[in-house]
């Protein structure tokens, strides 16, 4: 009965492992993020000009995109794990899995589009 | 002899207590409420909270494309006390999820299951210190008389 309700043939072992691996990398990225954003310097860093100056650095863009991809994967995979624990209906599982994937892809595109095009020139805009 | 017997009774008592944990909830939500279960439930709840925050964060950062005014107005909104309080909550949630994440890692890969309760309390203390250190910049301006 249980087996028939499963959405895929995947046992979840890979998800389980990647969840831990991404968690570990996210912890390191989070420490970097907290240091750069909240401890080294003042409040004005979270205003337009300062953010543009900082995010026009291509290395920080790469770090940010890694943070985005891993954060979304880890977060939405976690939601999927919670759903699997409480919802047994195959139809609901497929529906929710599709919804999560869709939300994930939309947010990934939103994040990439928001960060990648940033250039120093934007500071001169009115 | 009597004291030995007392000790064994006490031990048995302790074991009975451990083997008869408090059950709360119904059906799929019926859990044994002990340290590990609290840690697990809080990990889920905080995880869901952080995932919601990621959605809002991406939405906020995407305001950069709409120019200075749009972005800075949003940042002004986030400076309201209610959002500052939310940020403080977010800090606590992130620290809990990180600390318990380390515990999960130790249990799964380094045989921490035997000591999971000790690990929980040690990490809780470290987390509480981190939270207080992190909360200081939030709380300090309230008393600086600005």
């Amino acid at each position: 009965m249980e087996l028939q309700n499963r959405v895929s043939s995947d046992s979840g072992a890979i998800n389980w492992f990647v969840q831990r691996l991404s968690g570990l990398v996210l912890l390191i990225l989070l420490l970097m993020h907290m240091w750069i954003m909240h401890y080294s310097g003042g409040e004005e860093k979270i205003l337009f000009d300062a953010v543009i100056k900082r995010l026009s650095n291509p290395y920080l863009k790469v770090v940010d995109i890694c943070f985005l991809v891993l954060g979304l994967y880890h977060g939405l995979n976690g939601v999927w794990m919670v759903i699997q624990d409480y919802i047994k209906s195959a139809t609901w599982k497929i529906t929710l899995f599709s919804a999560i994937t869709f939300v994930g892809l939309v947010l990934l595109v939103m994040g990439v589009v928001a960060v990648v095009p940033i250039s120093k020139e934007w500071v001169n805009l009115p | 002899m009597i004291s030995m017997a007392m000790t064994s009774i006490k031990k048995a008592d302790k074991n009975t207590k451990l083997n008869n944990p408090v059950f709360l909830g119904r059906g799929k939500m019926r859990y044994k409420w002990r340290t590990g279960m609290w840690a697990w439930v809080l990990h889920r709840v905080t995880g869901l909270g952080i995932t919601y925050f990621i959605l809002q964060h991406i939405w906020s950062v995407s305001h950069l494309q709409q120019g200075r005014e749009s972005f800075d107005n949003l940042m002004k909104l986030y400076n309201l006390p209610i959002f500052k309080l939310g940020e403080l909550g977010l800090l606590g949630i992130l620290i809990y999820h990180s600390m318990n994440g380390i515990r999960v890692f130790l249990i799964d890969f380094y045989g921490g299951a035997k000591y999971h309760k000790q690990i929980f309390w040690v990490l809780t203390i470290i987390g509480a210190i981190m939270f207080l250190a992190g909360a200081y910049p939030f709380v300090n301006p309230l008393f600086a008389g600005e």
Side-chain angles (χ1 to χ4, degrees):
Chain A
M1 285 298 277
E2 281 290 294
L3 284 171
Q4 287 169 351
N5 286 335
R6 281 166 67 160
V7 170
S8 72
S9 58
D10 177 17
S11 72
I14 294 170
N15 269 11
W16 172 87
F17 184 71
V18 181
Q19 191 73 349
R20 271 133 194 84
L21 199 65
S22 58
L24 194 66
V25 179
L26 277 168
L27 185 59
I28 296 161
L29 287 169
L30 179 68
L31 286 170
M32 271 174 76
H33 179 81
M34 292 305 258
W35 177 256
I36 294 171
M37 291 305 298
H38 301 291
Y39 288 92
S40 60
E43 278 286 301
E44 71 281 359
K45 299 196 310 175
I46 318 178
L47 286 174
F48 186 82
D49 290 347
V51 174
I52 294 297
K53 266 182 208 157
R54 191 171 47 246
L55 279 182
S56 54
N57 177 345
Y59 295 108
L60 272 183
K61 279 187 192 180
V62 172
V63 172
D64 256 30
I65 299 296
C66 287
F67 208 5
L68 173 75
V69 172
L70 285 174
L72 277 176
Y73 174 80
H74 190 89
L76 294 175
N77 191 38
V79 173
W80 175 231
M81 285 174 167
V82 174
I83 287 171
Q84 281 174 303
D85 275 356
Y86 299 108
I87 288 164
K88 291 295 169 207
S89 144
T91 322
W92 269 110
K93 271 194 187 177
I94 292 168
T95 312
L96 290 168
F97 186 80
S98 313
I100 289 173
T101 312
F102 178 73
V103 168
L105 288 174
V106 168
L107 286 165
L108 181 68
V109 171
M110 269 176 82
V112 169
V113 167
V115 170
V116 172
I118 291 175
S119 101
K120 266 182 191 152
E121 310 291 308
W122 291 16
V123 177
N124 301 321
L125 293 174
Chain B
M1 274 300 279
I2 292 171
S3 73
M4 268 173 77
M6 286 299 283
T7 319
S8 69
I9 287 169
K10 270 182 194 162
K11 259 186 195 165
D13 228 1
K14 212 178 163 194
N15 284 338
T16 325
K17 261 183 204 162
L18 280 178
N19 293 327
N20 293 298
V22 182
F23 282 94
L24 281 176
R26 284 180 190 170
K28 282 176 192 145
M29 300 294 282
R30 189 172 164 88
Y31 295 132
K32 299 174 186 178
W33 290 96
R34 298 196 296 223
T35 317
M37 183 53 73
W38 276 112
W40 177 82
V41 166
L42 281 172
H43 201 72
R44 299 211 132 173
V45 174
T46 52
L48 293 174
I50 296 163
T51 306
Y52 166 73
F53 170 74
I54 298 176
L55 312 188
Q56 206 193 328
H57 192 58
I58 293 171
W59 177 79
S60 306
V61 173
S62 62
H63 277 70
L64 282 170
Q65 292 159 298
Q66 292 157 33
R68 182 180 285 110
E69 208 189 325
S70 165
F71 184 77
D72 284 355
N73 277 342
L74 191 65
M75 291 307 116
K76 228 180 262 170
L77 179 71
Y78 288 159
N79 269 322
L80 290 176
I82 181 85
F83 283 104
K84 283 281 153 196
L85 199 68
E87 247 182 311
L88 197 61
L90 179 69
L91 177 71
I93 282 175
L94 276 172
I95 289 174
Y96 176 79
H97 201 84
S98 303
M99 290 294 114
N100 197 57
I102 293 172
R103 179 174 157 272
V104 168
F105 211 84
L106 291 174
I107 290 171
D108 286 353
F109 297 119
Y110 293 98
K114 277 184 189 168
Y115 316 103
H116 80 95
K117 280 185 195 175
Q118 286 92 323
I119 295 171
F120 177 84
W121 291 110
V122 168
L123 288 172
T124 299
I125 292 165
I126 296 172
I129 293 168
M130 283 169 77
F131 179 74
L132 290 175
Y136 180 74
F138 280 95
V139 180
N140 198 36
L142 297 177
F143 298 101
E146 278 183 82

